[in-house]
Amino acid sequence: MSDIASSAPAVRSAELAAYLAARMCHDFISPASAIVSGLDLLDDPQAQDMREDAMNLIASSARKLADLLAFTRVAFGASASAETFDARELEKLAQGVFNHMRAELDWAVEAPSVPKPAARALLNLAQMAGAALPTGGTARIRAVVEGASMAIAAESTGPKPRLRAEVLTGLRGEPLNEGLHGHWAQAYYVHLFLADAGGRVFVDVTEEKVTFAATLPV
């Protein structure tokens, strides 16, 4: 497994904030638009035979939007003033996102409570591990405390695991020259907050598995 730290020049804070905001808007717009479409069907007198379908669409999209908002509040936001998180609550947040992915979540975090930087790392690496399995598979998330450090691993195992070049660029702490900024921004954000916490991030890619790993002091 390779350490992917980089001495590349930092991206401006305002620029990164804009890319992260765009990423979150992209995630939220799909379920929000689906809710509006469902409401439009309910209001259409010519589509009353589709009322049940419209209600199902509204319900499933509202759940997806709520799951994404709850996840994002901790993974990208300050989440009020909380400095530690219950690992079971983090699992619930991660599972909420995986409910709308093809990949399955295998949560194997031993620590009962997790400090904020580690909580952000767990959630972001879990989501990235799920995204690395576009055709399905299992993302296994592990975290153990070793002395004064916590070690985190997110292993994506499936038929066709894939790591986008933008993700690797972001985890290296490098500016994006080409590709999708949404995938890069999340990875770059992970690189930044782990570095700020005195931690490091690693990645390993094979034909059968993509493994993200991080270490940080607790």
Side-chain angles (χ1 to χ4, degrees):
M1 184 173 293
S2 301
D3 182 346
I4 51 177
S6 171
S7 58
V11 175
R12 292 185 301 112
S13 297
E15 184 180 10
L16 178 61
Y19 287 136
L20 283 174
R23 159 64 188 262
M24 288 183 277
C25 288
H26 176 272
D27 289 346
F28 301 153
I29 195 64
S30 177
S33 297
I35 292 171
V36 173
S37 296
L39 292 172
D40 288 342
L41 283 175
L42 291 179
D43 289 339
D44 187 351
Q46 304 299 320
Q48 292 307 301
D49 58 330
M50 299 181 65
R51 185 177 182 84
E52 183 176 354
D53 291 338
M55 291 300 297
N56 289 335
L57 177 62
I58 292 171
S60 62
S61 299
R63 170 50 58 193
K64 181 178 182 179
L65 183 57
D67 287 339
L68 287 171
L69 285 167
F71 175 90
T72 300
R73 180 171 177 263
V74 178
F76 294 102
S79 185
S81 59
E83 292 299 327
T84 60
F85 296 85
D86 189 312
R88 293 169 298 181
E89 181 61 25
L90 296 177
E91 179 183 7
K92 181 180 178 182
L93 293 174
Q95 186 60 63
V97 170
F98 272 77
N99 286 340
H100 311 286
M101 289 183 168
R102 292 187 177 181
E104 295 183 356
L105 174 66
D106 178 8
W107 187 267
V109 176
E110 297 179 4
S113 62
V114 181
K116 183 184 289 186
R120 286 178 173 170
L122 278 168
L123 292 183
N124 279 279
L125 292 180
Q127 187 179 42
M128 290 161 62
L133 296 167
T135 63
T138 300
R140 187 164 194 259
I141 314 303
R142 295 176 293 162
V144 295
V145 176
E146 301 173 341
S149 299
M150 174 172 283
I152 297 171
E155 298 176 339
S156 304
T157 306
K160 293 181 180 180
R162 174 189 177 191
L163 181 66
R164 290 179 175 272
E166 301 96 316
V167 174
L168 186 56
T169 298
L171 289 176
R172 285 174 172 164
E174 298 174 353
L176 184 67
N177 293 320
E178 59 181 23
L180 299 174
H181 279 94
H183 297 286
W184 167 84
Q186 181 181 23
Y188 189 83
Y189 172 70
V190 171
H191 164 82
L192 282 185
F193 73 69
L194 281 175
D196 287 345
R200 308 182 81 171
V201 62
F202 311 82
V203 69
D204 185 61
V205 182
T206 68
E207 292 184 359
E208 300 179 349
K209 183 166 62 175
V210 174
T211 303
F212 303 94
T215 60
L216 66 164
V218 294

